[in-house]
Amino acid sequence: MKLLILGNGQLGQMLAQSSIQLGHECLLVNTRTNKVMPAGAHVALSQSIEEAMQWADVVSWEHEQLDPEHVALAANKLLTDADKIRPLTHRQLEKKLCDDLGIATAPWQAFQTADQFTQTLRTWQQPVVIKAAFGGYDGKSQWRWSPESASAAAEAESLAHSAGLQPGIIEALIPFTKEVSIVGARAKDGRILCYPLVENVHTKGILSHTFAGFEAPDLRLQKAAELAFQRITEHLGYVGTLAIEFFVVGDGEEAELLVNEIAPRVHNSGHWSLTGCNASQFDLHIRSLTNMPFPKLAVQPTLMLNAIGCAEIPTELWQDSRVQAFWYGKDSRPGRKVGHVNLRIAKRAEAEALSKNWTPSLQVLS
Ligand code: ATP
Ligand code: MG
Ligand code: MG
């Protein structure tokens, strides 16, 4: 089939690689310039975006922030209704969607204006996270606030006037045991396949590393996560790979999942699957769009380390036989994801030691 991906960043490039592997043709659109690009090169083709849309059998995206013009041009070649995805780009609507579907999240409240923000914040007796409704990623456009801080009133006043904050949400700061995500795919004919839950470690709001497949999944939590995945994707009529981030609260038998956010696309916490599984999250996205069979998943323990703001991946890692390294070819600046490294490691303790050892040279956050 002929696939057109909106977006030519690293996610678009990795989707294109899977398309090629699976016998499809793939072009990418630079969504800022509307130029049509071949995979793996930043040269523009002479084809216009309108022509590329005509050429394609299926149009998909690397990121859910869709330009209405692109949606209109793609029309019925987008297999997921873009209007259904829109709530997932607005934190108030995303939380409300979870509430409506009976999926637990952190307690939250919406606000529209600075006055409403101040009034609502006054009612919170516990530490909170304040998030702008639109546009936040990698921990940007969010702030922490505690009523117990000596300067709480002054901080609230200054937050009320933060640029880009209104509208937004106030949510309880969750003392989580860990953060996990489920990545899975729903095919055009409704089949669903999910990876085991993976554990994600964030530093300053940015995904630092993921542990995948080190221990047998907690079946109760896996089932709960897959149920959430099914409810959400069926409600959205979603086709492709989607990720849900969760906080795990409590331990052992008491552990529960709270949804943090939903990403209707391939996701950084699924990058381990390029090395640690017989089918990557990018393969599953392409197979979903083209209605190809899903494989039985064979997961190997894998550590994914993000390269953030560093100039290069150290040579020692490139040379390590356990490593598969990915470099996105982007200009590096602090806090920007520029690559990732997947390591096939048998033991979790060793993966933890490696992440401690390597994150300082791989990550420049600010
Ligand atoms: P992403 O890049 O994953 O889209 P984002 O900017 O949309 O990130 P969130 O996922 O909402 O932001 O938050 C980033 C991280 O901040 C979370 O993974 C978590 O570590 C921390 N965090 C966010 N909200 C809360 C909360 N309510 N309680 C505790 N920690 C939180
Ligand atoms: Mg997010
Ligand atoms: Mg997140």
Side-chain angles (χ1 to χ4, degrees):
M1 292 179 78
K2 298 189 177 76
L3 304 171
L4 184 68
I5 307 291
L6 300 171
N8 70 332
Q10 69 265 21
L11 301 179
Q13 300 293 342
M14 290 187 271
L15 285 167
Q17 279 183 287
S18 285
S19 305
I20 295 164
Q21 185 192 331
L22 294 168
H24 303 293
E25 293 178 64
C26 187
L27 290 175
L28 307 168
V29 176
N30 177 326
T31 49
R32 278 184 303 277
T33 61
N34 274 359
K35 296 267 198 276
V36 180
M37 307 275 174
H42 290 280
V43 290
L45 299 175
S46 58
Q47 222 172 4
S48 68
I49 183 169
E50 288 82 4
E51 285 165 339
M53 293 278 189
Q54 286 282 322
W55 165 87
D57 299 310
V58 172
V59 179
S60 186
W61 57 76
E62 67 164 4
H63 200 281
E64 65 273 24
Q65 307 283 353
L66 296 170
D67 180 334
E69 265 180 45
H70 294 158
V71 172
L73 279 176
N76 59 358
K77 291 183 179 179
L78 283 174
L79 300 184
T80 306
D81 181 351
D83 287 341
K84 289 270 199 173
I85 298 306
R86 207 151 294 131
L88 302 182
T89 62
H90 188 294
R91 290 197 198 267
Q92 294 174 347
L93 302 178
E94 183 179 30
K95 291 274 186 191
K96 187 171 177 308
L97 177 76
C98 290
D99 289 354
D100 292 347
L101 295 176
I103 296 170
T105 67
W108 68 282
Q109 277 184 300
F111 60 85
Q112 310 303 336
T113 62
D115 280 352
Q116 223 184 351
F117 165 74
T118 317
Q119 281 163 19
T120 312
L121 192 62
R122 250 183 237 134
T123 65
W124 285 79
Q125 312 288 320
Q126 65 183 104
V128 296
V129 182
I130 297 148
K131 300 180 179 179
F134 301 107
Y137 68 98
D138 288 346
K140 295 180 175 69
S141 301
Q142 58 176 265
W143 299 266
R144 298 194 174 193
W145 180 85
S146 169
E148 277 131 41
S149 146
S151 49
E155 283 165 20
E157 183 58 26
S158 117
L159 279 170
H161 299 102
S162 302
L165 175 60
Q166 292 92 29
I169 60 168
I170 300 172
E171 67 177 33
L173 178 74
I174 302 298
F176 53 77
T177 348
K178 57 184 177 180
E179 289 188 90
V180 297
S181 60
I182 191 125
V183 175
R186 183 171 179 273
K188 205 175 158 188
D189 61 6
R191 282 169 295 135
I192 285 176
L193 182 68
C194 292
Y195 293 104
L197 282 164
V198 296
E199 182 176 343
N200 302 313
V201 178
H202 294 82
T203 310
K204 293 191 179 165
I206 307 185
L207 181 63
S208 165
H209 50 286
T210 298
F211 298 100
F214 284 95
E215 47 277 304
D218 175 319
L219 289 180
R220 193 176 54 85
L221 294 186
Q222 181 72 25
K223 217 170 137 188
E226 289 194 18
L227 186 64
F229 185 94
Q230 183 184 354
R231 273 196 204 151
I232 292 165
T233 53
E234 286 180 355
H235 170 81
L236 300 173
Y238 187 78
V239 182
T241 294
L242 175 143
I244 311 173
E245 297 177 1
F246 299 96
F247 301 125
V248 180
V249 287
D251 260 325
E253 311 241 307
E254 309 283 291
E256 295 293 340
L257 296 177
L258 298 178
V259 168
N260 174 30
E261 55 173 357
I262 304 163
R265 57 176 158 83
V266 288
H267 191 254
N268 195 176
S269 73
H271 285 6
W272 66 273
S273 63
L274 286 160
T275 305
C277 194
N278 53 323
S280 75
Q281 61 163 345
F282 305 96
D283 299 338
L284 293 191
H285 188 73
I286 302 302
R287 290 182 193 225
S288 300
L289 296 174
T290 56
N291 228 1
M292 292 173 93
F294 281 155
K296 209 174 216 144
L297 296 177
V299 171
Q300 305 286 336
T302 308
L303 167 69
M304 190 284 304
L305 294 173
N306 263 338
I308 305 169
C310 59
E312 59 190 10
I313 291 172
T315 308
E316 202 181 325
L317 280 176
W318 284 111
Q319 291 174 337
D320 188 322
S321 64
R322 302 165 301 178
V323 165
Q324 198 181 4
F326 298 81
W327 187 250
Y328 306 153
K330 307 195 310 195
D331 292 338
S332 190
R333 56 170 182 269
R336 187 176 204 207
K337 291 172 183 168
V338 287
H340 70 275
V341 173
N342 286 341
L343 292 109
R344 289 272 295 274
I345 304 292
K347 294 265 180 303
R348 163 85 187 219
E350 200 188 337
E352 283 187 23
L354 282 162
S355 68
K356 278 206 184 69
N357 186 31
W358 284 112
T359 45
S361 39
L362 282 173
Q363 299 181 356
V364 182
L365 300 180
S366 50

